[in-house]
């Protein structure tokens, strides 16, 4: 595990799991501050990879998924970025939490205060989906893909 060098003073990150190579992963507490912190570390990592063109959409979608996790989860939230190079290069973004129930895409009424997050992920990404948590754990991972620029 790489030393905890990414967080800035005041950021609440349980741990930086890895930020080497083509993968970066962070573990956040189930705390409202996690949304702001996740946005900051994701934007920073995209900048380090030269992917600032994907910054706004990636940060927006990560915010939606981390917010969804916070509404329903009481355990840690993991955000993972994987840069997959090649002719059809993609940025894979995953948000995992300990709640096994997958989110549902639904149609929100014009005056509903919520219900648009998964619609936003579905419409803004190349592909998206969910899968069960890692082997031996409960929970789920919600993921989406964005095409790499170029």
């Amino acid at each position: 595990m790489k030393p905890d060098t990414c967080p800035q003073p005041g950021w609440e990150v349980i741990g930086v799991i890895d930020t080497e190579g083509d993968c970066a992963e962070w573990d956040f507490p189930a705390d409202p501050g996690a949304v702001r912190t996740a946005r900051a570390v994701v934007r920073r990592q995209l900048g380090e990879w030269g992917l600032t063109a994907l910054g706004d959409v990636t940060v927006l979608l990560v915010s939606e998924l981390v917010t969804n996790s916070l509404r329903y989860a009481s355990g840690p939230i993991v955000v993972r970025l994987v840069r997959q190079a090649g002719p059809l290069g993609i940025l894979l973004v995953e948000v995992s939490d300990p709640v096994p129930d997958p989110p549902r895409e639904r149609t929100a009424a014009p005056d509903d205060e919520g219900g648009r997050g998964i619609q936003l992920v579905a419409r803004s990404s190349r592909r998206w989906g969910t899968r069960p948590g890692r082997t031996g754990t409960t929970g789920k991972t919600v993921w989406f893909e964005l095409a790499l620029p170029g």
Side-chain angles (χ1 to χ4, degrees), residues 94-107:
E94 300 174 334
V95 176
S96 302
D97 65 47
V99 176
D101 304 323
R104 291 186 343 244
E105 185 177 356
R106 66 181 181 92
T107 303

Side-chain angles (χ1 to χ4, degrees), residues 32-116:
V35 178
R36 177 178 35 92
T37 306
R39 286 192 305 253
V41 297
V42 165
R43 188 174 297 280
R44 179 177 173 182
Q45 186 65 50
L46 292 175
E48 289 177 13
W49 284 343
L51 298 175
T52 55
L54 294 179
D56 290 342
V57 70
T58 305
V59 165
L60 174 64
L61 300 182
V62 165
S63 293
E64 291 294 333
L65 295 179
V66 171
T67 299
N68 281 352
S69 291
L70 286 172
R71 287 187 70 180
Y72 304 106
S74 60
I77 299 163
V78 177
V79 175
R80 183 171 182 251
L81 305 178
V82 180
R83 178 179 55 175
Q84 299 176 352
L88 299 175
I90 61 164
L91 176 68
L92 172 66
V93 180
E94 300 174 334
V95 176
S96 302
D97 65 47
V99 176
D101 304 323
R104 291 186 343 244
E105 185 177 356
R106 66 181 181 92
T107 303
D111 58 342
D112 285 350
E113 290 186 23
R116 293 174 184 81

Side-chain angles (χ1 to χ4, degrees), residues 5-17:
T5 58
C6 285
Q8 299 296 317
W11 289 7
E12 294 183 30
V13 178
I14 293 173
V16 177
I17 298 169

